[in-house]
Amino acid sequence: MLATLGLCLAMAQTTSEPYSEPLRPQFHFTAQKGWLNDPNGLVYFKGEYHLFFQHNPFGTEWGNMTWGHAVSKDLVHWTQLPEAIEPDALGTIFSGSAAVDQHGTAGFGNGALVCMYTAAGGTNDASKGKPFTQCLAYSTDGRTFHKFEGNPVLPHIEGENRDPKLIWYSPTHTWILALYLDGNRYALFSSIDLKHWTKTCDVDMSGTSECPDFFELPIDGGKKWVFWGANGNYRVGRFDGKVFTPETNPIRSNFGNTSYAAQTYFNDPKGRRVQIAWLRDSNFPDTAWNQQMGFPAELKLRATSQGPRLSIYPVEEIKSLHGPKLKGKDGWYASASGLLDIDARFEVPESGVLALTVNGRTISYDVASQTLQALGKRASVPPVLGRLDLRILADRASIEIYAQSGLVYMPLFTLPETSERGFRVQTTRGWKAEKMDVYVVRSAW
């Protein structure tokens, strides 16, 4: 039966209009065609959220890396634009970030959009064997991009040094750059003009590599800095404008089977720290596209008994896609589309098991071990004030679980293997649902 279903889906992929194909995610971003991976250059510019991304416009496997480009007014409805930055003699275009140069420090004009990316040797004759270096491109309209004639602005340092993340540090009126070096090692650099960089410190991120992010968040009436690596491990600490001093060991944020290379927006207009991740290994068979992004999430730093911890939670804009609120019958909430936003809170009894089924996939919570499990993945989730909070977003090829208001994040890639569409709640004796809001989610396309 599954083989027959797969054959039917494969045939449908070749005949459907873009974004309406049976496997196409409906509120997670995908490229119209081609391979997609790391989100790049997340920036709010001239009234739009810009999402650049690693893109192969010529195939559904990694290669020919360019910066794909999409824009949105609300982080939900996206319009894909022509490729923004394409390969040249310095190499193919690896990951990086973007910022608004409000003061015109780089000489590209006040308020210019500046992108910093890694160029690395590709397979074409002009760039084959070129080292990993850091380069600039800029735009004044958010549509047309010009590469800086003096590229690279940061020459090769070691290994495959890459993935520059730009921030503006206003206390000293300087740019700060987080860069991956090699192994588990990163570094910070500073500049006054985005073109000349001085290394200020090394950062060790044992257990992770690639795609750094670096940002400040409020906590307990003060502020702390967070240094983030590609697999979602992060450290919390202090930053004086030159040196990052970690105050924690690396902390795990991702307990699912996907999510990688997440990056946060440079300047969200609401003052939030908004993050988008690549849902890694989201392989779609027999399609014109491959891979998907996670749904945008807001990050907050919260005080816990274990110390400061990040929470990851869907941005409020998801509500713009809410359709009808479903009414359950005997614990079953039927949904023909399977697109769901579930917000539930349970009083946790002294013992027992909670079993939820989302589009045929089981999510369980065991009181004795305080463990949340789904698709072979598990996470420790202690009750908070005797309660278990679960937020679940279900799309056609993903289930993202946010437990205890996002202190535990479990993103899951899963292709449909059943005709069951909807949400089911099954409990042993003693469980009580304090809240059960189940909404149909409309397509963003």
Side-chain angles (χ1 to χ4, degrees):
M1 179 177 178
L2 290 180
T4 302
L5 174 62
L7 177 61
C8 292
L9 288 173
M11 293 175 62
Q13 302 301 334
T14 63
T15 59
S16 300
E17 292 297 320
Y19 304 113
S20 65
E21 305 94 334
L23 290 182
R24 175 78 74 168
Q26 293 299 289
F27 59 95
H28 288 72
F29 179 81
T30 52
Q32 182 174 336
K33 293 182 180 180
W35 167 274
L36 166 156
N37 58 286
D38 305 1
N40 296 156
L42 303 190
V43 66
Y44 186 81
F45 181 70
K46 293 186 180 296
E48 295 177 313
Y49 289 94
H50 289 255
L51 167 62
F52 302 91
F53 53 93
Q54 290 286 279
H55 188 214
N56 181 0
F58 307 114
T60 56
E61 300 296 329
W62 187 92
N64 307 304
M65 287 294 96
T66 71
W67 271 28
H69 189 196
V71 293
S72 173
K73 295 288 188 181
D74 61 2
L75 290 169
V76 173
H77 301 88
W78 295 94
T79 299
Q80 188 170 337
L81 302 174
E83 308 299 307
I85 308 176
E86 298 180 304
D88 58 23
L90 290 176
T92 50
I93 312 303
F94 279 58
S95 289
S97 57
V100 178
D101 188 5
Q102 200 63 48
H103 306 287
T105 62
F108 304 139
N110 289 355
L113 171 58
V114 180
C115 303
M116 192 169 190
Y117 61 90
T118 299
T123 57
N124 59 8
D125 291 339
S127 67
K128 190 174 183 179
K130 293 285 186 178
F132 284 66
T133 58
Q134 317 313 316
C135 300
L136 295 179
Y138 64 95
S139 174
T140 56
D141 63 4
R143 297 296 188 272
T144 305
F145 292 83
H146 310 276
K147 293 174 182 173
F148 174 50
E149 293 181 356
N151 282 335
V153 295
L154 191 58
H156 178 261
I157 301 170
E158 62 175 293
E160 295 185 354
N161 51 198
R162 60 182 183 269
D163 311 329
K165 172 62 180 182
L166 281 174
I167 68 168
W168 174 251
Y169 189 68
S170 56
T172 57
H173 209 70
T174 55
W175 293 99
I176 303 298
L177 174 67
L179 187 71
Y180 171 65
L181 296 180
D182 196 24
N184 300 138
R185 293 180 293 105
Y186 298 75
L188 294 179
F189 299 78
S190 68
S191 173
I192 60 172
D193 62 2
L194 290 168
K195 299 172 182 176
H196 303 88
W197 293 92
T198 301
K199 184 178 177 182
T200 61
C201 78
D202 291 297
V203 180
D204 176 74
M205 287 290 290
S206 178
T208 189
S209 62
E210 304 182 315
C211 302
D213 203 347
F214 190 47
F215 49 87
E216 189 180 35
L217 286 173
I219 182 173
D220 284 345
K223 292 185 177 181
K224 294 289 184 182
W225 284 83
V226 177
F227 198 101
W228 175 282
N231 66 357
N233 288 359
Y234 64 94
R235 302 185 77 173
V236 180
R238 305 186 310 276
F239 180 60
D240 63 4
K242 292 185 177 181
V243 176
F244 172 65
T245 304
E247 297 176 332
T248 71
N249 291 323
I251 302 167
R252 183 179 178 183
S253 72
N254 170 21
F255 294 87
N257 65 10
T258 184
S259 187
Y260 196 76
Q263 187 176 124
T264 60
Y265 271 87
F266 174 77
N267 55 345
D268 176 74
K270 297 181 180 181
R272 304 169 296 181
R273 180 58 56 175
V274 175
Q275 182 187 76
I276 295 178
W278 165 37
L279 296 190
R280 189 180 192 178
D281 297 327
S282 299
N283 289 302
F284 293 90
D286 303 309
T287 61
W289 80 94
N290 201 3
Q291 309 296 305
Q292 63 183 327
M293 295 298 183
F295 190 77
E298 181 177 2
L299 303 187
K300 293 182 179 180
L301 198 56
R302 295 166 55 186
T304 75
S305 58
Q306 289 77 42
R309 293 292 185 272
L310 280 176
S311 66
I312 302 173
Y313 208 65
V315 294
E316 61 183 2
E317 285 87 344
I318 185 67
K319 295 178 181 178
S320 69
L321 296 179
H322 279 181
K325 184 177 180 179
L326 298 179
K327 295 183 178 180
K329 183 177 181 180
D330 298 326
W332 169 243
Y333 299 77
S335 168
S337 69
L339 308 180
L340 298 168
D341 182 358
I342 302 159
D343 191 0
R345 178 180 298 121
F346 300 92
E347 286 187 8
V348 179
E350 293 183 0
S351 63
V353 175
L354 169 70
L356 311 176
T357 306
V358 179
N359 296 334
R361 299 299 194 182
T362 299
I363 302 167
S364 66
Y365 181 80
D366 179 73
V367 176
S369 62
Q370 299 183 350
T371 300
L372 181 72
Q373 298 187 66
L375 295 182
K377 298 298 180 179
R378 62 177 59 201
S380 174
V381 183
V384 176
L385 299 177
R387 290 168 175 79
L388 173 66
D389 281 282
L390 292 174
R391 182 79 178 272
I392 303 170
L393 298 184
D395 204 340
R396 286 184 177 169
S398 65
I399 298 173
E400 290 182 276
I401 306 168
Y402 312 82
Q404 305 304 45
S405 300
L407 283 174
V408 173
Y409 174 50
M410 185 179 286
L412 303 165
F413 169 64
T414 174
L415 290 172
E417 293 185 1
T418 175
S419 59
E420 182 179 82
R421 291 288 180 271
F423 172 60
R424 187 184 304 279
V425 183
Q426 296 172 295
T427 65
T428 54
R429 182 176 298 179
W431 285 89
K432 179 182 178 181
E434 292 186 349
K435 178 171 68 172
M436 188 63 67
D437 296 333
V438 183
Y439 287 93
V440 172
V441 178
R442 296 188 298 265
S443 173
W445 301 113

